[in-house]
Amino acid sequence: MKNKLTRILMMFLISALMFGQEDDDFAKRLKGINNQNILFFNVDGVNFSTQTFNYEFNEKSLKKLYRKYSIKDSDVKTKDELLSYNNFFITRSNKITEDIKETTSYYFIEDKYKTITIFSFGYYNNADQEFERRYINRILNNEIPKDVYESVTIDSIDFAGRKIKLGNNCYWTNVNTVQCPYYGEMNWSIHKTYQNAKDVITNQLETTRIKKGGKVISEQEVPVIFEGTETNAKKIKYGFTGTKSLLVSMSGGKELTIYYVACKVRDNYVSCCMSFWNNDTITESGLTPLLDKIMQLKK
């Protein structure tokens, strides 16, 4: 019996060590933006944010914050017993297609200062509570390295380990989402596995296909060189002709060209979605200046 117990404890210890080693390089994939009192993050295809409110953790305060985050009385609120903080946890899903759903998880936590810190995680498909707990603990324990955070004002970006100079014409619309007027737009995430990167880009592509307000005009697979690696990208032309779209009115364009890529880049894998309007600045390469910086079309 003693030997059996020893084996079980050893297996548990080895599993714990392996789990820690598997994610000890998380800072290489994690990116964040500190926008005043809200922290935004992206890693492994997941967007999440956190904000602290100087409220006591009581029913009156929580009701006020539930309204702020559009949490309804009918939403099921449970306690995550595996977190060491007093908390309430809510998860909601919205079906996009037969195979894809959007899921959002919310945590209302009584932090060590006895105030309320809220975390919000956004996914395609099912939530991953182990992932959520891991980052909640890292953030509340101040374990996020400072170099994870990008400057709010863009001069250059860290694209999967390579600094790219952009100047002052571009701005963030989210973590790892850059828009450069008339030069293109792109969003990306860094992943530990190729399958994770491929799944995220597939979900983005499927969401575009069913998007209302326009339609897919053409779709093809094209050979490209992405960050020095030969691979294939899915190319879509998406048209807005005859529609009254806010995007169309803001850009003046009628058609978007979108490229979707999942590829190994240096030590990790990247999912990347790049787009430009038909009236953007197109270089001799057939792309815009922003896209030129990371991808070339093979002739």
Side-chain angles (χ1 to χ4, degrees):
M1 182 68 182
K2 183 177 179 181
N3 289 338
K4 184 178 180 180
L5 179 60
T6 300
R7 285 198 301 270
I8 292 172
L9 289 172
M10 285 300 294
M11 287 175 64
F12 178 80
L13 179 60
I14 291 169
S15 298
L17 287 171
M18 287 177 65
F19 181 79
Q21 290 169 353
E22 283 177 359
D23 201 43
D24 59 3
D25 60 348
F26 75 93
K28 294 179 181 178
R29 308 190 309 277
L30 179 68
K31 278 297 171 188
I33 294 176
N34 187 344
N35 186 7
Q36 296 179 346
N37 63 333
I38 307 177
L39 302 178
F40 297 92
F41 297 95
N42 177 281
V43 65
D44 297 329
V46 181
N47 287 311
F48 61 101
S49 63
T50 179
Q51 184 174 10
T52 298
F53 295 86
N54 192 25
Y55 298 158
E56 290 184 11
F57 193 88
N58 56 42
E59 185 176 357
K60 181 180 179 181
S61 299
L62 288 168
K63 282 186 175 181
K64 184 186 296 186
L65 293 173
Y66 290 156
R67 288 194 297 270
K68 181 178 177 66
Y69 281 79
S70 301
I71 305 298
K72 301 176 183 178
D73 291 341
S74 58
D75 288 326
V76 178
K77 306 166 185 69
T78 58
K79 182 174 182 178
D80 187 341
E81 299 289 352
L82 296 181
L83 281 172
S84 57
Y85 302 90
N86 193 15
N87 71 87
F88 283 108
F89 162 72
I90 301 105
T91 183
R92 296 190 304 203
S93 293
N94 176 42
K95 193 172 183 179
I96 300 175
T97 71
E98 286 300 318
D99 300 317
I100 301 174
K101 63 181 177 180
E102 287 180 327
T103 300
T104 307
S105 298
Y106 300 93
Y107 290 80
F108 294 77
I109 292 176
E110 182 179 25
D111 58 36
K112 60 185 177 182
Y113 302 107
K114 300 301 179 182
T115 56
I116 300 176
T117 295
I118 301 173
F119 289 83
S120 173
F121 295 85
Y123 300 84
Y124 286 113
N125 297 323
N126 295 324
D128 182 346
Q129 278 198 270
E130 284 189 8
F131 170 93
E132 293 166 358
R133 294 182 194 110
R134 198 182 310 150
Y135 280 97
I136 287 171
N137 285 322
R138 282 172 175 160
I139 291 167
L140 292 181
N141 293 330
N142 296 315
E143 295 173 1
I144 305 299
K146 290 182 180 179
D147 59 5
V148 158
Y149 295 98
E150 292 275 21
S151 171
V152 174
T153 303
I154 294 180
D155 174 65
S156 61
I157 61 172
D158 178 359
F159 186 80
R162 181 171 74 92
K163 282 286 183 182
I164 300 177
K165 186 82 171 177
L166 295 182
N168 56 8
N169 186 49
C170 305
Y171 55 89
W172 299 112
T173 57
N174 203 342
V175 182
N176 288 357
T177 304
V178 173
Q179 188 168 43
C180 304
Y182 298 103
Y183 281 16
E185 181 176 6
M186 66 180 185
N187 68 74
W188 71 96
S189 189
I190 304 175
H191 308 259
K192 195 170 184 65
T193 67
Y194 174 68
Q195 189 60 51
N196 186 213
K198 186 179 178 182
D199 289 345
V200 166
I201 214 66
T202 298
N203 289 334
Q204 281 190 296
L205 175 58
E206 288 299 320
T207 302
T208 300
R209 287 192 181 117
I210 64 165
K211 193 176 182 65
K212 295 180 180 179
K215 64 179 181 179
V216 174
I217 299 170
S218 66
E219 182 175 334
Q220 63 183 129
E221 198 165 277
V222 296
V224 299
I225 301 173
F226 185 82
E227 282 292 277
T229 298
E230 293 188 10
T231 187
N232 289 322
K234 182 70 77 171
K235 177 184 178 182
I236 278 184
K237 285 189 179 292
Y238 191 87
F240 293 87
T241 304
T243 65
K244 294 181 180 179
S245 166
L246 178 61
L247 281 172
V248 170
S249 63
M250 290 175 63
S251 70
K254 292 290 185 181
E255 183 180 289
L256 267 175
T257 298
I258 313 171
Y259 290 91
Y260 301 86
V261 177
C263 180
K264 186 171 184 179
V265 176
R266 291 173 279 279
D267 296 330
N268 289 291
Y269 298 90
V270 172
S271 61
C272 188
C273 175
M274 300 154 281
S275 64
F276 57 86
W277 290 94
N278 59 292
N279 63 337
D280 282 351
T281 301
I282 311 298
T283 68
E284 292 183 0
S285 71
L287 302 173
T288 58
L290 175 63
L291 274 62
D292 270 340
K293 292 182 180 295
I294 62 169
M295 189 176 76
Q296 295 80 47
L297 302 176
K298 288 189 69 177
K299 303 299 183 183

